[in-house]
């Protein structure tokens, strides 16, 4: 197939890098977003999210003339849906008394509906948004059938998961292997042809539901493995062991690769996607469900740890370092660090949060520091919540000169305990028992 022009619906963390990468590889792209503010920002050559290299990539794409942006879809040879699939905030499923979260597919539904009036015979439609199994067949195909055209007969329809790691999106988009699952083999082939315009990794063709499962399996596998790391941290705490040392020793075994414990699992992927399996088959997913619960309650474990270090939190002033869901990104979605701050405050602590990637973040009930010094001023304790590179290189002597507080609490193994103790700090670390 020859793809002269494609339309990408959703200009977020996946859609925007994908649009600019297609454009810089010679494909005409119309990037579409329902948020007019995002479209205007891009039209002025600015971007609304932080991802290393993205600003330059978008600029190059716009300057090439291949990327244009709009709030409206137009006729094209191919369409890619890359909108978010969060879960409902106030709606839950229930299985044997166990509550589970439910996917909110409204953005995917709206994006598919926006394609109906511009869909033509011979087009290709690809869903990239992470979705519960069978979404392509049972949600997207029927919506698009309202155009009078049938998926697999009149147009090609496929599911292709993105697998890029925030922080490395532009490189991984090109280098990672890509799975393309079609509702027919011809649909998979058409999808593979489209991605071959820039993907250097292997492009593997399969069916749509397999591709949907592949995506969910990848992130669920990671979630379950982080859950066991968190549980090991609880055990190490109980038995007077340093979990970080124990993990590094266990990982010397040739077939063991334990991940890192921490304050919990955040972001819009790993903390969300396993729920799509649970929702689709709660009777078959007790392990996945329990792992989600372990990771979701990890912020409460951090609260207990802080209480152990500081006693009652009433009136205690805490400098919280990092609010992002993981190191060196600006994304605060589902961030366990944010939840930890809320929990500390509920116990009476006065928390000032410093997030260098989002200093102006506007989070209900959270006081943001304007810089590190501001966070430290008058603090009783310094709490490390995210392993941002600039936090791991902090010098305890420098910190000591800016605050009288001498309690350092590390939830991510970011600090050299001896160095901090040597400067007079009492150090409490997640997963390190006494
Ligand atoms: N985390 C830990 N311990 C670890 C690793 C991560 O607690 O050892 C936490 C992080 O701090 C963060 C969360 O887990 O809060 C998720 O971070 P992550 O780096 O594991 O993953 P994401 O959500 O940024 O990106 C994942 C990736 N999937 C896998 O690695 C299987 C990425 O490739 C996917 O494209 C992305 O989800 C997605 O969009 O689905």
């Amino acid at each position: 197939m020859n793809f002269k022009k494609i339309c990408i619906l959703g200009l977020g963390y996946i859609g925007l890098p994908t649009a600019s990468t297609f454009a810089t590889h010679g494909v005409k792209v119309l990037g579409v977003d329902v948020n007019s503010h995002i479209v205007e920002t891009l039209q002025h050559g600015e971007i609304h999210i932080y991802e290393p290299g993205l600003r330059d990539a978008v600029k190059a794409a716009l300057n090439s003339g291949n990327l244009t942006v709009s709030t409206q879809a137009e006729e094209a040879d191919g369409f890619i849906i890359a909108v978010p699939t969060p879960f409902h905030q106030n709606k839950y499923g229930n299985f044997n008394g166990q509550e589970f979260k439910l996917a909110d597919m409204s953005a995917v539904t709206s994006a598919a509906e926006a394609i109906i009036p511009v869909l033509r015979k011979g087009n290709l439609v690809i869903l990239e948004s992470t979705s519960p199994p069978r979404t392509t067949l049972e949600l997207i195909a029927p919506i698009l059938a309202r155009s009078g055209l049938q998926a697999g007969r009149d147009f090609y329809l496929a599911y292709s998961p993105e697998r890029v790691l925030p922080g490395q999106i532009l490189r991984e988009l090109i280098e990672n292997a890509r799975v393309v699952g079609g509702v027919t083999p011809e649909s998979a082939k058409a999808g593979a042809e489209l991605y071959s315009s820039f993907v250097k990794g292997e492009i593997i063709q399969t069916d749509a539901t397999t591709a949907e499962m592949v995506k969910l399996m990848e992130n669920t596998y990671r979630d379950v493995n982080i859950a066991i790391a968190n549980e090991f941290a609880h055990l190490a705490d109980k038995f007077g062991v340093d979990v970080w040392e124990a993990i590094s020793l266990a990982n010397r075994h040739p077939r063991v690769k334990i991940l890192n414990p921490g304050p919990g699992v955040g972001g819009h992927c790993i903390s969300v996607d396993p729920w799509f399996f649970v929702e689709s088959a709660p009777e078959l997913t007790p392990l996945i469900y329990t792992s989600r619960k372990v990771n979701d309650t990890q912020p409460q474990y951090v609260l207990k740890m802080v209480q152990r270090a500081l006693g009652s939190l009433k009136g205690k002033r805490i400098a919280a370092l990092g609010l992002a869901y993981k190191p060196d990104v600006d994304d605060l979605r589902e961030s366990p660090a944010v939840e930890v701050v809320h929990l500390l405050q509920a116990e009476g602590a006065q928390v000032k949060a410093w997030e260098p990637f989002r200093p102006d973040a506007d989070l209900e009930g959270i006081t943001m520091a304007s810089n590190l010094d501001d966070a430290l001023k008058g603090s009783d304790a310094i709490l490390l919540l995210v392993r941002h590179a600039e936090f791991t290189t902090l010098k305890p002597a420098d910190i000591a000169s800016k605050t009288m507080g001498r309690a350092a609490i590390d939830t991510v193994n970011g600090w050299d305990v001896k160095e901090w103790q040597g400067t007079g700090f009492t150090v409490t670390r997640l997963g390190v028992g006494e």
Side-chain angles (χ1 to χ4, degrees):
M1 263 185 91
N2 191 6
F3 296 97
K4 288 206 186 69
K5 177 180 171 187
I6 62 166
C7 192
I8 298 187
L9 296 101
L11 295 176
Y13 284 93
I14 300 304
L16 186 57
T18 304
S20 51
T21 305
F22 269 116
T24 51
H25 287 74
V27 181
K28 284 237 174 288
V29 181
L30 176 70
V32 177
D33 203 291
V34 290
N35 184 332
S36 55
H37 174 68
I38 292 177
V39 170
E40 280 159 27
T41 305
L42 291 166
Q43 279 165 341
H44 289 105
E46 296 297 320
I47 57 172
H48 59 293
I49 47 181
Y50 171 78
E51 170 65 27
L54 184 58
R55 180 180 293 271
D56 289 346
V58 170
K59 268 206 180 112
L62 290 167
N63 289 342
S64 73
N66 280 342
L67 176 63
T68 48
V69 288
S70 167
T71 53
Q72 291 284 324
E74 287 174 9
E75 281 189 21
D77 304 310
F79 298 87
I80 294 180
I81 299 174
V83 296
T85 45
F87 41 67
H88 283 286
Q89 292 301 329
N90 307 311
K91 207 163 107 189
Y92 297 90
N94 196 304
F95 176 72
N96 285 347
Q98 293 186 325
E99 257 189 4
F100 53 83
K101 295 181 179 175
L102 295 170
D104 177 355
M105 301 302 287
S106 57
V108 167
T109 301
S110 306
E113 285 172 343
I115 297 173
I116 298 173
V118 289
L119 187 66
R120 298 289 171 261
K121 234 181 168 156
N123 280 171
L124 164 68
V125 179
I126 298 180
L127 175 65
E128 282 199 14
S129 309
T130 307
S131 301
R134 300 190 72 79
T135 295
T136 309
L137 288 174
E138 293 173 4
L139 180 70
I140 304 297
I143 291 174
L144 294 176
R146 281 154 43 192
S147 66
L149 301 174
Q150 197 183 315
R153 185 191 69 192
D154 304 316
F155 67 96
Y156 303 107
L157 177 61
Y159 180 81
S160 181
E162 55 78 17
R163 308 160 110 181
V164 289
L165 195 70
Q168 305 181 29
I169 291 179
L170 289 166
R171 184 175 61 75
E172 290 205 354
L173 259 183
I174 292 174
E175 290 177 5
N176 286 2
R178 182 119 211 167
V179 175
V180 185
V183 298
T184 56
E186 295 74 24
S187 291
K189 185 162 173 274
E193 278 169 15
L194 175 60
Y195 288 114
S196 69
S197 48
F198 68 80
V199 172
K200 295 215 169 69
E202 197 181 345
I203 303 179
I204 305 116
Q205 298 175 35
T206 181
D207 66 87
T209 308
T210 301
E212 290 165 349
M213 261 199 82
V214 166
K215 169 71 190 189
L216 296 177
M217 283 163 54
E218 290 166 359
N219 281 354
T220 300
Y221 168 85
R222 196 156 169 86
D223 196 44
V224 172
N225 280 285
I226 297 169
I228 202 164
N230 282 331
E231 215 158 82
F232 288 153
H234 306 168
L235 290 166
D237 218 349
K238 179 178 166 77
F239 296 122
V241 165
D242 176 339
V243 78
W244 307 96
E245 183 195 359
I247 288 175
S248 80
L249 297 182
N251 283 348
R252 304 282 279 273
H253 185 292
R255 285 173 295 285
V256 172
K257 177 76 192 80
I258 301 168
L259 294 173
N260 294 319
V265 169
H268 49 297
C269 309
I270 297 195
S271 69
V272 178
D273 302 354
W275 289 116
F276 294 0
F277 271 144
V278 175
E279 160 179 2
S280 308
E283 72 287 3
L284 301 178
T285 47
L287 175 65
I288 298 172
Y289 176 87
T290 304
S291 302
R292 277 283 66 245
K293 283 285 172 191
V294 168
N295 289 336
D296 267 0
T297 49
Q298 193 68 357
Q300 282 146 39
Y301 184 77
V302 171
L303 170 68
K304 289 207 194 87
M305 182 187 151
V306 176
Q307 285 171 322
R308 213 170 54 205
L310 304 180
S312 163
L313 297 184
K314 277 218 167 54
K316 291 269 160 56
R317 285 161 303 182
I318 300 175
L321 303 196
L323 288 180
Y325 84 93
K326 71 171 192 174
D328 301 323
V329 300
D330 75 334
D331 195 340
L332 310 182
R333 286 178 290 178
E334 312 301 329
S335 174
V338 171
E339 199 185 332
V340 169
V341 172
H342 284 309
L343 291 171
L344 295 170
Q345 292 183 149
E347 293 299 318
Q350 294 171 17
V351 184
K352 233 179 190 188
W354 167 230
E355 176 42 77
F357 287 86
R358 286 286 292 282
D360 52 356
D362 184 13
L363 295 163
E364 212 185 318
I366 295 189
T367 308
M368 299 298 294
S370 46
N371 51 45
L372 178 64
D373 291 12
D374 182 28
L376 291 171
K377 208 168 15 173
S379 65
D380 300 303
I382 175 169
L383 170 65
L384 179 60
L385 291 171
V386 185
R387 217 173 184 283
H388 288 322
E390 69 175 82
F391 291 159
T392 58
T393 49
L394 286 174
K395 291 279 156 252
D398 190 32
I399 302 295
S401 71
K402 291 173 176 156
T403 170
M404 300 296 281
R406 288 292 177 272
I409 306 167
D410 178 358
T411 66
V412 291
N413 198 28
W415 289 334
D416 179 334
V417 59
K418 289 215 172 70
E419 199 188 344
W420 283 76
Q421 282 169 341
T423 322
F425 282 92
T426 312
V427 182
T428 308
R429 292 194 298 153
L430 183 134
V432 182
E434 277 152 24

